[in-house]
Amino acid sequence: MKKKIALISGITGQDGSYLAEFLLKKNYIVHGIKRKSSSFNTERVDHIYENYQKSKNFYLHYGDLIDSNSLFNLVHKIKPDEIYNLGAQSHVGHSFEIPEYTSEVTGIGTLRFLEAIRFLNLKKTKFYQASTSELFGQKDKRNVFSERSNLVPKSPYGVSKLYSYWITKLYREAYGIFACNGILFNHESPRRGETFVTRKITMFLAKKYFGSKEVLKLGNINAKRDWGHAKDYVELQWKMLQKKTPTDYVIATGKSYSVKEFINFCCNYLKFKIIWKGSGLNTKCFLIKSDGSKELLIKIDKKYYRPVDID
Ligand code: NAP
Ligand code: F7E
């Protein structure tokens, strides 16, 4: 039987690397897009390259979501059965500092892919768009989010993803492209980028466990998130493209916890005794040492708050 061919943007990221592994195990031929960087950026997929290059099932190509030609040429050459658009400037906080770049990559980048499929008339190519719970903004009166919730993004990242969400829907309806939005809540793993809050906290605490003297600076620790595991969520991305008809899906665990609860859980796991003092910007967390003395562990820094920070 002919092997299925997948093209993944964002293959060097958390989800891209897990999805590549998942699809290769399903006997796909996987093509990934990596962007040009002045330093190595393939750390998360180097082991895949090592394992699969001989079998000719795994390929990496240079390309960029702001470069229509590179995307068009790759789609034309590879003619994938499935495209997974996971590439993005994906950091919500940073999107306030680089809103225009975020819109280009995270918003218009999606249109560039859809236009390539439309223009090349690839009737069999299915398209997955990495959409996000950041479309939602604040919870409504029913205190739940669903595929029918109001979309009220609160960051340049969310607004860019909202454009991608609607353009994906539009190309599905207008041109009959098999295109799905996966509206995913946060998902984490040991491959999570180091500036996202779970990784920032776990890396800091691991260093502290081995004697580091650093103090962790955080933003809004009362913010709540629904955290799942990236490995589970990439499987669902694939499943969406295996359905008979394309539509959009919300993916979440249904349980949310605050950043503070996450810290308490991690400290408990490491058997760190901690105590919280103060409130708001003056909140501090201390580590109680074996001799009873206190060491400052975490403090709040306004710099890590977002202009719109949703609890
Ligand atoms: P990630 O680790 O930040 O990976 C983003 C990927 O996009 C990286 O491979 C990055 O390349 C690539 N990229 C960035 N700018 C690009 C450009 N201009 N052209 C081509 N590629 C570019 O993100 P993730 O956590 O795996 O998330 C995957 C997707 O799901 C993203 O679209 C994200 O917005 C969305 N999402 C994530 C979550 C979550 O909780 N993880 C939830 C909902 C939606 P480099 O490696 O070179 O930086
Ligand atoms: O923040 C708070 C922060 O950056 C989580 C992306 O994958 O998921 C991710 O976006 C919460 C926020 O993820 C710090 O204010 C406190 O409330 O880990 P994060 P995110 O913003 O939820 C969504 C679904 C995506 O689509 C995105 O691509 O933690 N927080 N103090 C902090 N966050 C960070 N990064 N750093 C802090 O110091």
Side-chain angles (χ1 to χ4, degrees), residues 90-92 132-134 157 184 186 192 195-197 200 217-220 223 225 259 304 306 309:
S90 73
H91 200 285
V92 177
T132 168
S133 52
E134 288 293 308
Y157 168 80
L184 273 50
N186 299 49
R192 182 58 140 154
T195 57
F196 295 94
V197 82
K200 190 172 164 182
K217 293 176 189 164
L218 289 175
N220 182 7
R225 286 294 184 274
V259 173
Y304 296 107
R306 285 139 195 205
D309 213 319

Side-chain angles (χ1 to χ4, degrees), residues 14 88-94 130-135 157 161 184-188 192 195-201 216-227 259 301 304-306 308-311:
Q14 172 189 255
Q89 190 304 92
S90 73
H91 200 285
V92 177
H94 296 164
S131 195
T132 168
S133 52
E134 288 293 308
L135 299 186
Y157 168 80
K161 284 284 187 185
L184 273 50
F185 276 74
N186 299 49
H187 42 283
E188 316 293 310
R192 182 58 140 154
T195 57
F196 295 94
V197 82
T198 56
R199 219 37 225 307
K200 190 172 164 182
I201 293 166
L216 180 65
K217 293 176 189 164
L218 289 175
N220 182 7
I221 57 167
N222 297 317
K224 285 188 159 185
R225 286 294 184 274
D226 179 321
W227 284 296
V259 173
D301 188 331
Y304 296 107
Y305 268 79
R306 285 139 195 205
V308 184
D309 213 319
I310 300 162
D311 285 354

Side-chain angles (χ1 to χ4, degrees), residues 79-286:
K79 299 203 171 42
D81 298 292
E82 295 167 10
I83 296 177
Y84 294 87
N85 184 30
L86 309 184
Q89 190 304 92
S90 73
H91 200 285
V92 177
H94 296 164
S95 77
F96 285 97
E97 290 160 58
I98 43 169
E100 184 182 340
Y101 177 74
T102 303
S103 308
E104 272 292 343
V105 177
T106 308
I108 305 296
T110 308
L111 173 68
R112 296 187 176 108
F113 258 134
L114 289 164
E115 266 295 275
I117 299 172
R118 184 192 69 79
F119 187 82
L120 293 166
N121 203 18
L122 299 178
K123 297 281 182 221
K124 287 191 182 144
T125 300
K126 297 178 178 180
F127 183 76
Y128 173 83
Q129 169 55 19
S131 195
T132 168
S133 52
E134 288 293 308
L135 299 186
F136 289 137
Q138 223 117 29
K139 277 188 179 168
D140 61 18
K141 281 182 198 141
R142 296 175 304 140
N143 215 26
V144 290
F145 291 121
S146 77
E147 290 79 2
R148 288 169 298 283
S149 292
N150 287 341
L151 303 177
V152 197
K154 298 279 190 245
S155 64
Y157 168 80
V159 171
S160 308
K161 284 284 187 185
L162 184 62
Y163 173 81
S164 286
Y165 167 86
W166 279 115
I167 204 73
T168 299
K169 259 172 130 41
L170 180 72
Y171 271 55
R172 179 168 77 214
E173 283 158 24
Y175 303 115
I177 294 175
F178 191 113
C180 299
N181 284 294
I183 308 170
L184 273 50
F185 276 74
N186 299 49
H187 42 283
E188 316 293 310
S189 75
R191 294 186 197 168
R192 182 58 140 154
E194 294 175 10
T195 57
F196 295 94
V197 82
T198 56
R199 219 37 225 307
K200 190 172 164 182
I201 293 166
T202 50
M203 285 183 68
F204 165 81
L205 290 175
K207 280 197 241 160
K208 183 59 78 178
Y209 188 84
F210 289 105
S212 152
K213 295 279 169 242
E214 277 173 45
V215 173
L216 180 65
K217 293 176 189 164
L218 289 175
N220 182 7
I221 57 167
N222 297 317
K224 285 188 159 185
R225 286 294 184 274
D226 179 321
W227 284 296
H229 198 294
K231 258 190 179 178
D232 296 332
Y233 285 26
V234 298
E235 181 169 354
L236 294 166
Q237 294 170 2
W238 171 77
K239 278 196 170 153
M240 288 178 210
L241 295 195
Q242 312 314 309
K243 302 290 281 184
K244 255 198 171 146
T245 46
T247 186
D248 309 317
Y249 301 88
V250 173
I251 306 293
T253 70
K255 286 187 190 141
S256 58
Y257 299 91
S258 68
V259 173
K260 189 175 173 183
E261 285 173 305
F262 181 83
I263 296 166
N264 290 340
F265 180 84
C266 294
C267 287
N268 195 29
Y269 181 81
L270 291 171
K271 300 199 168 38
F272 281 180
K273 276 192 190 159
I274 55 166
I275 182 166
W276 291 94
K277 286 190 181 262
S279 61
L281 290 174
N282 293 318
T283 306
K284 289 190 174 65
C285 178
F286 295 89

